[in-house]
Amino acid sequence: MTTRLASPVTPDTGRHRDRNTVIAVVGAGSRGLGVVERLVSRCLTDPFPVTVHLVDPRPPGPGFHLDDQPDHLLLNTVCAQITAFADEEMVDGPTRVDGPSLYEWCQARELRLSADGCTVREASRDGAPGGREIRPNDFLPRRLLSEYLRWAARRIVAAAPPCFTLVPHTTTAREVRPSPGGGEVVLLDDGTRIDADAVFVTIGHHSLYLPAEPPSEPRLVTRPYPLPGALHGIAPGDRVAVLGMGLTGMDVIASLTLGRGGRHESTGEGRTRYVPSGDEPLIVLANRSGLPSRSRPHLHPGRVRFAPLALAPERIRELRALRPDGRLDFVEDALPLIEAEMELAYHRTLLGRRSGGVEAVGAEFARRVAVYGFERLLTELRAAHGPFPLQGILTARPADRQWREQRDYARWFTDRIADDLAEARAGLGVSPVKEALEVLRDHRDALRSMIDAPGVDDPSLEYFFGTFTSTVNSLVIGPQLDRSVELLALLDAGVLRVGPGTRA
């Protein structure tokens, strides 16, 4: 999948056109492939001699998107948004290697999605039902991404000009250290030494597939991957606590239900009924916050992504200028801007939906902010259209609410999933709530700019990578929309229960 990498290896190429530049890329998954794509595009545009050492025991492309995973383990990004090929909107440098997105690749192969919503097969050649066509908003099996990335890697490497040399190493890197003469030294497990001008370490989530440390309790599974193998010791009827409601938790639940022969049958109106196989355990779902993660929203074609108004670069520079060392206080400086940007997105979508022209509303918002600032605009919007319903969502804690009985919490939990599911189905461009939350994804570059040097103070850094990141994950990087539908069906069927509400 494409990574934003601005001119990754050009410091010496302009001055030493005849000297061979040596690059080492440790990890040949999607991130490592993104580095290779950027280098190939750069060489096609402005040729210079470069040798790229690609270090990974697995073939280039898939990384740990394993090709033998069951189809019920799904990607958490819709297929139309996944690509190994860069375009001008993604990167700052040249884009010379063309290729299809995952969605277009599936279309070209005539793949079909079965009625269960996860199984993908080739179109039937004998007239039997082969499922429906894959749609841009489908969450597809991870094994398909493995196949796609392997194919994309071959296409990218084949596009390289003669000045680009790829040297694969089917082993692992043991150490990266500075070279006394400048550059870096990479030592491999097979004894190879690579002297490189630069090293990219793109190992991603490889640690999930390393042998886990022995658990402190015999029935404790601290590392559930690879699935379903890590769960083989769980017998039908066992009581299993799943601690965590993020993507890993959803993977575990799917493996213990769909992976054991259960199925979801549509009952109409976007709901399903779970039909157990009898091999499921009783699952108790809980997490530290007591809050369910929000579903990924439907993406409407032509959805407009607006430039930030409160999170604008000049505003961030102004705040840095007020700090003696230029380091921001994330809670005092950044959170108010993020919340303001979310509120602006909410009102822009609300008014755009009423008028039928969100782009015109966005242009008017930008004009008014340029004249008298976003603070006054928000004051006017609140007076005219009421308060922002997500006010304080970035700092909300379940300690603010208590339930007299477990069933009261369970009912509240279920209602919260159902309400969010309705917003997710309305989707981006339609739901003001989802548009407000999507600010956290749309403006990741602005958030990165706050953390990049001179960055934030030390307490802020701890807060950002701890509390804030966890909150963002639960709000916008949650389960696939269909997973929330399945969660409600599992609760109805009694296969899944929610644990007690917790206090922060």
Side-chain angles (χ1 to χ4, degrees):
M1 288 164 289
T2 298
T3 307
R4 179 175 289 275
L5 293 170
S7 303
V9 285
T10 55
D12 290 334
T13 58
R15 296 191 298 271
H16 305 288
R17 304 299 300 174
D18 297 328
R19 186 177 74 80
N20 185 64
T21 299
V22 179
I23 305 296
V25 180
V26 179
S30 58
R31 293 285 184 179
L33 181 59
V35 175
V36 172
E37 184 276 329
R38 294 285 74 221
L39 288 165
V40 170
S41 283
R42 177 67 65 183
C43 287
L44 287 168
T45 303
D46 185 16
F48 66 96
V50 59
T51 298
V52 178
H53 294 268
L54 194 58
V55 182
D56 198 307
R58 293 173 53 78
F64 282 93
H65 295 289
L66 306 181
D67 56 8
D68 59 352
Q69 296 180 90
D71 278 13
H72 61 256
L73 295 180
L74 303 175
L75 295 163
N76 70 323
T77 303
V78 296
C79 58
Q81 290 186 323
I82 298 175
T83 182
F85 304 94
D87 62 34
E88 293 178 354
E89 294 184 0
M90 298 177 190
V91 295
D92 299 326
T95 55
R96 294 291 301 276
V97 185
D98 295 328
S101 67
L102 177 61
Y103 165 63
E104 293 163 339
W105 181 79
C106 289
Q107 279 190 312
R109 295 183 62 194
E110 297 185 355
L111 299 182
R112 296 291 186 272
L113 186 63
S114 298
D116 62 8
C118 61
T119 304
V120 174
R121 299 189 179 93
E122 292 185 359
S124 174
R125 303 300 182 187
D126 59 5
R132 66 165 174 80
E133 288 188 1
I134 289 174
R135 299 167 184 160
N137 271 287
D138 284 330
F139 295 96
L140 299 180
R142 291 175 200 160
R143 69 163 181 85
L144 275 182
L145 181 59
S146 177
E147 294 181 40
Y148 169 76
L149 288 173
R150 193 187 301 261
W151 174 87
R154 293 194 296 266
R155 184 181 179 109
I156 290 168
V157 172
C163 66
F164 179 95
T165 301
L166 185 70
V167 182
H169 299 270
T170 55
T171 184
T172 56
R174 180 162 46 89
E175 184 180 358
V176 180
R177 64 188 184 203
S179 173
E184 308 290 335
V185 174
V186 184
L187 301 179
L188 308 185
D189 276 345
D190 65 4
T192 301
R193 170 190 170 115
I194 302 171
D195 292 288
D197 295 297
V199 179
F200 291 86
V201 179
T202 56
I203 55 176
H205 299 293
H206 82 292
S207 60
L208 292 177
Y209 293 86
L210 297 176
E213 294 292 329
S216 57
E217 300 290 339
R219 300 286 285 170
L220 178 64
V221 180
T222 58
R223 186 179 293 165
Y225 295 101
L227 290 169
L231 308 180
H232 284 337
I234 298 173
D238 281 355
R239 185 183 295 269
V240 177
V242 177
L243 304 181
M245 300 183 189
L247 297 171
T248 299
M250 297 303 104
D251 281 352
V252 169
I253 292 170
S255 297
L256 294 174
T257 54
L258 294 173
R260 296 199 169 187
R263 68 182 190 276
H264 289 271
E265 294 181 346
S266 175
T267 59
E269 298 182 355
R271 298 295 296 266
T272 66
R273 178 175 69 92
Y274 182 70
V275 181
S277 68
D279 289 335
E280 300 90 348
L282 173 62
I283 305 169
V284 180
L285 182 62
N287 68 0
R288 285 174 291 183
S289 75
L291 304 172
S293 296
R294 291 177 177 261
S295 301
R296 301 292 292 268
H298 179 82
L299 177 64
H300 290 281
R303 180 246 177 180
V304 180
R305 177 176 166 179
F306 292 91
L309 299 177
L311 275 171
E314 58 271 18
R315 183 69 172 188
I316 297 171
R317 287 195 295 269
E318 290 171 2
L319 290 173
R320 287 202 188 281
L322 297 176
R323 299 287 178 179
D325 56 1
R327 301 173 73 195
L328 299 174
D329 181 310
F330 194 81
V331 173
E332 288 189 12
D333 297 329
L335 276 185
L337 295 184
I338 298 168
E339 291 173 345
E341 194 69 53
M342 293 173 67
E343 189 171 357
L344 288 167
Y346 173 87
H347 286 290
R348 181 172 54 220
T349 309
L350 185 68
L351 295 177
R353 189 173 64 181
R354 292 175 180 174
S355 67
V358 69
E359 290 186 77
V361 173
E364 176 62 14
F365 275 23
R367 186 192 67 79
R368 291 163 71 179
V369 167
V371 172
Y372 51 72
F374 71 85
E375 295 92 344
R376 178 175 162 183
L377 174 58
L378 284 176
T379 300
E380 294 173 356
L381 291 169
R382 291 164 188 159
H385 306 290
F388 179 40
L390 299 181
Q391 187 67 42
I393 196 169
L394 297 178
T395 54
R397 293 290 174 266
D400 300 335
R401 175 186 287 270
Q402 296 183 15
W403 296 268
R404 295 185 61 183
E405 297 183 11
Q406 168 63 23
R407 63 182 179 183
D408 295 330
Y409 168 69
R411 187 180 304 111
W412 173 87
F413 183 94
T414 302
D415 290 345
R416 188 179 178 93
I417 293 177
D419 290 344
D420 180 71
L421 188 56
E423 299 289 350
R425 285 198 172 110
L428 295 177
V430 176
S431 165
V433 167
K434 286 299 182 181
E435 278 292 337
L437 294 172
E438 198 69 7
V439 162
L440 299 168
R441 275 169 46 88
D442 280 350
H443 301 312
R444 285 175 291 184
D445 285 348
L447 298 180
R448 291 189 189 104
S449 73
M450 295 177 182
I451 302 303
D452 290 344
V456 296
D457 58 33
D458 292 343
S460 294
L461 201 62
E462 182 179 356
Y463 173 83
F464 180 86
F465 287 108
T467 301
F468 181 75
T469 299
S470 176
T471 301
V472 170
N473 287 344
S474 69
L475 292 176
V476 294
I477 312 179
Q480 305 87 346
L481 191 153
D482 288 346
R483 284 287 187 252
S484 292
V485 176
E486 294 170 4
L487 206 60
L488 292 176
L490 292 170
L491 287 165
D492 288 342
V495 174
L496 177 73
R497 300 177 186 174
V498 292
T502 60
R503 296 188 63 173

